[in-house]
Every structure is written in structure tokens, then in C-alpha cells.
Amino acid sequence: MTYIHNTIARLKKTSPAQAEFYQAVEEILDSLQPILETNEKYKAHAIIERMVEPERQIMFRVPWVDDQGNVQVNKGYRIEFNSALGPYKGGLRFHPSVNASIIKFLGFEQVFKNALTGLPIGGGKGGANFDPKGKSDAEIMRFCQSFINELYRHIGPTSDVPAGDIGVGAREIGYMFGQYKRLTGNYDGVFTGKSLLWGGSLVRKEATGYGCVYFAQYMLEDHNQSLAGKTCLVSGAGNVAIYTIEKLYELGARPITCSDSSGTLYHETGINLATLKELKEVRKVRLAEYLQYHSDARYIPASDYPADGHAVWRFPADLAFPCATQNELTAQDAQALVANGVIAISEGANMPSTQDAVEVFLDANICYGPGKAANAGGVATSQLEMAQNASMQTWSFAKVDEKLKVIMKNIYRNARDTAVEFGEPNNLVLGANIAGFRKVADAMIEQGVV
Ligand code: NDP
Ligand code: 2IT
């Protein structure tokens, strides 16, 4: 306990005002107590002290000109957190809320997540406080080009390989790759999540959502349950939410909600996937427009949410898939889910449940798959994209999907077996955190004090 307290106290001095980052560190350290107590080597090698300090943090100005001819300025980030297991790997987030705390929490989580995949990738994260909403295609392109005018010198196919996250999809990756290629003259696998026309991997677009559902499936199978016939709550309406919903239907479940930052949609007969894709992938409009296609659905605007949480978690269902953003599920939401008989949570988003909410799930002894395990299918498939690029091959959809399933099963088993080893068989938070930590920490020790 003192160890956690001292680490957080030190971080508050050296990295002030980074609440999300402290939250992510505290959760990991809390889980690591049993292994830190019995393994002097981690203290002797100052592993925690080194792990919580990124290897390198790059922050830069991103100036660009909007369609009216005004000069705009955003702040760009790339935080290269840990390269013990391989090149820095992790997404870029474009959202107005982005700051150093958010990028550091995401980068820190990424280190452990990437270790859990079993693949040779270190952890990093980046982005900008740029708001893509309402921007024209030309503005998005100019922003991406300016962002890369600085970032290009820090990335490379064997050093740091960015991908998408909130606000960054195939369109943005295309503009960033184009500018990187122009500046460096290199046509290489420096980004993942690329278009299928020029180096992308089949299944990467679907991978985070599919993987999150596979993870739920493996948790349920272990408790003699299945997805068939289960009602599911999904939050978000972006890349992860859409492909979570798609896979839930394929496996016989019924997703009845989704949401965006303006409100929540509830459709008792099941969210219409074709309409959702049309609204969000093609027309890029607000979710409220869904009602124009399906008048039997209900829409709850964010202004009508309960003061202590989010409307999406207050509907009765068997399973919950938070797929929007950090801290979108509060302790009160968790209590409502448990009271309504939820049997499993699988997190598509990064750190969507507050620390108190996680405690509620663990106390209720239901299946709880933390994001760094349950959403690792996205980054794992990114690594499969890197492998295809490096070997100049293109694998079939079935081959990549099969590899994704095996990776998700291995992550689940690794987290579960580690939880069993440390005497808390149903605590996948503990299992995932210790399993990820052990791999990174032991690699760091073998590589010396660097
Ligand atoms: P998208 O940008 O495609 O979609 C994000 C969705 O979440 C949108 O519906 C958005 O609504 C909603 N959202 C975002 N921020 C907020 C907010 N502050 N409040 C309410 N709603 C919000 O992103 P992704 O689907 O790619 O990412 C979703 C989550 O999954 C993130 O936590 C991300 O870190 C995580 N993740 C993503 C991976 C990937 O491969 N893409 C891999 C692993 C994790 P609106 O449009 O109104 O903003
Ligand atoms: O949070 C994540 O794992 C991602 N946004 C995906 C990162 C990647 O490199 O594919």
C-alpha cells in the first residue's frame, strides 16, 4: 500500500494534474501487490519507477488553415512509453478532450495490453486536441498533413507504428501515410489500419469489436454459458461499437443499445446494423437520425441522463459492452447493471469503467473482462498487419480472423490462469495486470538499466 501511495505521490509532483494517468497507474499497482511482495527483483531493478515514466514524450504545435482561411493551432502528442517488447505500438486519438494525462493513461495501458497479445510490440499512444466534428475533408487532410510534418521524424516501421483510435480511422491514416511517404520517400508499414487498397490487413477494421465479443464468449464458455439469445447493451457508435454489434448478431445475441456523445439509442428488437453503418460510416451524422428510419426505437438525449451516470447502462440486459470512452460507466451504473442481472462485461473501450465501478463488478463476482485484455484484438491485428507488410504478403479474411480468435483465447486463458495462480480465480483485472506486467518487467531486467 505504501508503495502505491509513494508512487502516486511522486507522480503528482513530477507529472502534475494528470488524473486519468494516476487512475491507470493506481489500478495496475493495486493488482501488482502480490507479485511485488514476493519478488524482490522488481524493486531491486526499480521496475515500477521506470515503467511509470515514459521512455520519451513528444509534444508539438500543429498549425493548419481552415476553409475560411483562418490559422488554427492544435497540440499534438506522441508518447513512446515502453519498448521492452518491440517497437512502440498504439493508436492516435483526435478529440477535443485530448491532453497529456489522457495520452499517458492510454500509453501506459497499451504497454500491458500489447504484452498480453503475446506479440513483439511495445506500447505508445498519441493524438491531438483536434475536433474532427464538422470539419470538411480538406480541413481533415490539412490537419493530418501538418501533424505528420512533425511526427514523421519520430516514427518508423521498426521504431514506432501508430494506428487509429477515437476520431482516427482509415481516412485519417491515409492522409497521414501520404504525407509521411512524401517527406521520407519510404513506402513502408509505418501505420496500421491502412486501406485495403494499399497495405491494410483484412479484419483490422473489425478486430477490436470482434475481439471484444470473442473475449466475452470465452468468459461465458468457462461458466457454461453462451452468447446465443442474450440481450446486450453496447455504448458508443464508432468503430469498436459497430463491429461489436456485428459480431454479437453473428453469434446469436441481440444488441439493443448504442450511443454517441449526444445521446443513447434503445431499440428493443435489436439495433439495425445496416442503418447504424449508414449513419456513422457513410453519412457521419448524429445517432438521433436513426429514429427517421426506425420509429419504434427510443432516443434519450444526453441532457436527460441520470446525474450519477449514463442512460445506456440503466436498461436490463444480460451483457454489457462499453465501447465509447474512458470513465463512461460509473459505480451507480455498475450497481444498476448488477441489480438488473447482468452476467458479463467485456470492455471494448479503454478504461471505460471508473475504479469504483470495477470494484462493484468484482464484488458481484460476475464475469468482468477489463479493456486491456478484452479490447486487445485491435492492436493484435495491427501487429498481423505489420507482419504481412514486412513479409510482403496478404492473408485471407479467414486466416486473420482465425489468428485473432486464437490470440483472444490465449489472452483470456493467460489472464484467468494468472488470476488462479494468485488465488483470485474470477479476478481478470488482477490476472491481466500481473500477466502483462511480468512479461514487460522480465524483459526490462534482461535488457539492463535503459
Ligand atoms: P470512434 O471515434 O470510431 O468512436 C467513438 C465513439 O465513442 C463515438 O460514438 C463517440 O461519439 C463516442 N465518444 C467518444 N468520446 C466520447 C465522450 N467523451 N463522451 C461520449 N461519447 C464519446 O472511436 P473507436 O470506436 O475507435 O474507439 C472507442 C473506444 O475504443 C476508445 O476508448 C478507444 O480508445 C478504444 N479502442 C479502440 C481501438 C480501435 O482499434 N479503434 C482499439 C482498442 C480500444 P461522438 O461521435 O459523439 O463523439
Ligand atoms: O487502444 C488501442 O489498442 C488502439 N487504439 C489500437 C492500437 C493499434 O496500434 O492498433
Side-chain angles (χ1 to χ4, degrees):
M1 244 7 199
T2 24
Y3 207 60
I4 301 179
H5 180 80
N6 292 344
T7 304
I8 300 292
R10 203 176 54 252
L11 283 181
K12 284 185 175 168
K13 279 193 185 157
T14 57
S15 305
Q18 299 190 342
E20 292 85 359
F21 178 49
Y22 310 148
Q23 182 184 340
V25 170
E26 211 164 328
E27 188 221 86
I28 290 268
L29 294 188
D30 195 38
S31 301
L32 295 182
Q33 281 191 73
I35 193 171
L36 294 177
E37 275 162 17
T38 50
N39 280 277
E40 276 303 313
K41 65 176 176 177
Y42 298 126
K43 268 187 197 163
H45 290 271
I47 289 297
I48 297 296
E49 289 80 350
R50 285 195 275 159
M51 268 190 183
V52 299
E53 192 60 33
E55 289 177 18
R56 191 172 302 104
Q57 305 187 58
I58 302 144
M59 297 186 207
F60 49 99
R61 181 171 72 200
V62 189
W64 56 283
V65 180
D66 68 20
D67 286 348
Q68 285 70 46
N70 301 315
V71 178
Q72 303 282 347
V73 184
N74 287 99
K75 185 156 179 162
Y77 301 83
R78 185 70 183 169
I79 302 209
E80 298 179 335
F81 228 108
N82 193 305
S83 61
L85 297 180
Y88 308 106
K89 184 82 199 83
L92 297 170
R93 177 178 290 193
F94 292 169
H95 193 273
S97 64
V98 161
N99 56 34
S101 173
I102 302 254
I103 299 298
K104 274 177 81 176
F105 113 67
L106 289 164
F108 187 69
E109 293 270 298
Q110 198 82 44
V111 174
F112 301 91
K113 182 197 303 192
N114 293 3
L116 282 170
T117 65
L119 301 168
I121 37 180
K125 198 85 187 187
N129 64 344
F130 172 73
D131 188 356
K133 284 198 192 73
K135 302 290 190 298
S136 70
D137 220 49
E139 287 176 323
I140 300 277
M141 182 181 76
R142 287 196 294 274
F143 177 81
C144 289
Q145 290 177 339
S146 181
F147 186 82
I148 289 301
N149 282 345
E150 173 57 33
L151 191 66
Y152 85 95
R153 69 187 91 243
H154 306 290
I155 58 178
T158 58
S159 57
D160 185 352
V161 184
D165 193 80
I166 290 177
V168 177
R171 174 181 58 167
E172 291 74 19
I173 296 289
Y175 293 144
M176 289 192 276
F177 176 76
Q179 187 70 356
Y180 167 87
K181 177 165 62 85
R182 184 170 194 193
L183 291 168
T184 62
N186 296 332
Y187 203 114
D188 53 31
V190 69
F191 288 94
T192 60
K194 300 184 291 295
S195 156
L196 296 175
L197 297 175
W198 47 272
S201 172
L202 286 159
V203 195
R204 174 62 190 90
K205 180 176 69 173
E206 296 85 355
T208 310
Y210 281 17
C212 171
V213 177
Y214 294 146
F215 195 89
Q217 188 185 22
Y218 301 136
M219 287 196 294
L220 291 175
E221 275 174 7
D222 240 3
H223 292 79
N224 300 315
Q225 299 257 15
S226 82
L227 282 162
K230 298 287 190 300
T231 52
C232 306
L233 305 177
V234 178
S235 66
N239 173 265
V240 180
I242 288 172
Y243 292 95
T244 294
I245 289 174
E246 181 165 291
K247 185 52 73 176
L248 284 172
Y249 277 126
E250 278 177 28
L251 296 178
R254 182 164 50 100
I256 54 173
T257 64
C258 60
S259 65
D260 62 15
S261 57
S262 309
T264 291
L265 198 65
Y266 171 77
H267 200 168
E268 197 184 354
T269 53
I271 296 294
N272 186 300
L273 183 61
T275 307
L276 182 63
K277 285 187 178 179
E278 171 70 18
L279 294 177
K280 288 297 181 182
E281 291 189 329
V282 183
R283 293 181 49 210
K284 299 183 193 293
V285 293
R286 309 311 295 162
L287 203 52
E289 286 206 23
Y290 185 95
L291 294 183
Q292 292 173 12
Y293 298 75
H294 307 281
S295 55
D296 57 329
R298 250 177 81 195
Y299 180 75
I300 301 112
S303 53
D304 290 352
Y305 285 0
D308 57 5
H310 194 303
V312 72
W313 310 124
R314 306 300 170 99
F315 293 101
D318 302 310
L319 307 168
F321 296 84
C323 297
T325 193
Q326 65 277 351
N327 293 328
E328 56 160 317
L329 195 161
T330 65
Q332 290 80 3
D333 292 329
Q335 280 156 0
L337 285 167
V338 171
N340 282 328
V342 79
I343 58 172
I345 319 286
S346 187
E347 295 184 337
N350 285 306
M351 206 168 77
S353 305
T354 63
Q355 191 64 42
D356 292 353
V358 174
E359 294 299 329
V360 172
F361 293 140
L362 294 178
D363 287 349
N365 214 27
I366 56 176
C367 296
Y368 170 65
K372 69 171 76 64
N375 74 34
V379 74
T381 308
S382 275
Q383 198 280 342
L384 302 179
E385 184 172 328
M386 290 164 70
Q388 290 168 79
N389 292 163
S391 60
M392 299 187 183
Q393 291 180 26
T394 310
W395 300 341
S396 69
F397 192 97
K399 178 169 174 169
V400 181
D401 193 32
E402 194 47 44
K403 284 180 184 289
L404 172 62
K405 282 184 196 160
V406 171
I407 291 167
M408 295 314 295
K409 185 165 254 180
N410 287 340
I411 294 173
Y412 170 66
R413 288 188 175 160
N414 193 3
R416 179 201 60 192
D417 294 348
T418 309
V420 169
E421 180 188 337
F422 285 85
E424 294 194 39
N426 213 24
N427 188 341
L428 297 179
V429 177
L430 182 101
N433 286 344
I434 292 186
F437 169 82
R438 234 184 338 209
K439 189 156 186 209
V440 181
D442 291 343
M444 287 173 73
I445 291 172
E446 288 180 9
Q447 291 173 15
V449 180
V450 291

